[in-house]
Amino acid sequence: MDERELVFWLNQTTKVITMGSRARDDLIAKGVQPDRIAYVLCGADPDFFKGHERSAAGLVGFSAAYYLRKDPDRIFEIVEAMPHRSFLLLGRDWEAYPKFSDLIALENFEYVTAPYADYPALYKRMSVFVSPARLEGGPIPLIETMMENIVPVASDTGFAPDIIEHGRNGYIFPVDAEVGHVCDLIDQAFENRQDIRKTVRHLTWQNLARQIDALR
């Protein structure tokens, strides 16, 4: 199906729901009728991710399965460039990354695969969360970690600009930003004293369901 055909069929729908404002705006620019589109942000469970007090000794975390769009080389370069920070990568399939043996050998790096039930405990070890992807629909871990009161440092993709106010409840960097710039933002994030959880407390699955139901 080419783009023109996709736009035609989307304009026959009752409603097209996107995960963020950028995806909505992109569809409108392609010709989808604005009144056909709504964006509804995803959520997290505040009773599952209860929040915690951050510390200067907290970890810098990544939470993602291995995909090229997650920019694994940038993750490697960030960890390598910041020996004064400790990093935790939570996800799966990273053994497929060609440089995985070099990454896992770094003294300030830890890799964990775990069931979802263990995520809150692992997030509690983090003070800063980094989402370096070059392309995102979400990511959902961005909301989860913010709900857990972790300061986000995220690439300008997906719904990051919808929930992060740069310099207040997190930091956003251009998709093609230099690694040094990202590292500077990570260090800034450790100085942030904001209650991050408070800024996303409304992003629950219940509220998402209510918003979708209201679109009918």
Side-chain angles (χ1 to χ4, degrees):
M1 182 183 295
D2 63 24
E3 186 174 290
R4 290 178 60 188
E5 188 176 1
L6 174 63
V7 169
F8 171 81
W9 285 113
L10 290 178
N11 278 328
Q12 311 312 307
T13 64
T14 301
K15 190 68 69 173
V16 177
I17 301 173
T18 69
M19 294 174 64
S21 63
R22 180 164 294 163
R24 175 203 60 192
D25 294 345
D26 286 346
L27 288 177
I28 292 173
K30 293 179 189 306
V32 179
Q33 298 168 13
D35 61 351
R36 300 276 183 186
I37 306 178
Y39 84 88
V40 180
L41 292 171
C42 290
D45 183 349
D47 295 322
F48 190 55
F49 300 107
K50 296 178 181 294
H52 71 283
E53 292 293 326
R54 301 186 300 272
S55 76
L59 304 181
V60 180
F62 307 95
S63 181
Y66 173 67
Y67 297 106
L68 290 180
R69 67 180 177 83
K70 299 293 186 178
D71 206 348
D73 284 342
R74 179 148 52 184
I75 290 177
F76 185 13
E77 291 166 6
I78 290 170
V79 177
E80 194 173 39
M82 303 188 77
H84 61 295
R85 301 291 184 194
S86 295
F87 293 82
L88 172 66
L89 170 58
L90 173 60
R92 67 177 190 276
D93 300 330
W94 283 87
E95 295 86 353
Y97 176 42
K99 298 179 183 178
F100 181 74
S101 60
D102 296 321
L103 179 60
I104 198 71
L106 296 174
E107 293 183 357
N108 61 332
F109 178 80
E110 178 183 356
Y111 173 55
V112 175
T113 58
Y116 192 64
D118 293 345
Y119 276 40
L122 290 164
Y123 284 164
K124 288 184 190 306
R125 299 176 59 195
M126 302 177 188
S127 290
V128 174
F129 171 73
V130 181
S131 177
R134 294 190 172 274
L135 179 64
E136 280 290 358
I140 298 298
L142 178 59
I143 298 178
E144 294 174 343
T145 52
M146 292 178 73
M147 190 78 77
E148 190 53 50
N149 197 38
I150 299 167
V151 184
V153 177
S155 58
D156 188 11
T157 184
F159 54 51
D162 291 314
I163 65 175
I164 296 175
E165 183 180 336
H166 182 79
R168 177 175 161 269
N169 70 335
Y171 304 85
I172 295 180
F173 58 87
V175 169
D176 59 354
E178 295 290 335
V179 166
H181 177 59
V182 181
C183 293
D184 288 343
L185 292 179
I186 292 171
D187 281 334
Q188 288 181 44
F190 274 92
E191 302 300 319
N192 191 307
R193 297 292 177 262
Q194 292 288 329
D195 182 346
I196 307 301
R197 176 180 171 84
K198 182 179 179 180
T199 68
V200 295
R201 183 60 181 77
H202 61 291
L203 296 177
T204 66
W205 295 117
Q206 291 87 347
N207 282 341
L208 177 144
R210 291 188 190 101
Q211 290 179 69
I212 292 177
D213 187 61
L215 294 174
R216 294 191 300 174

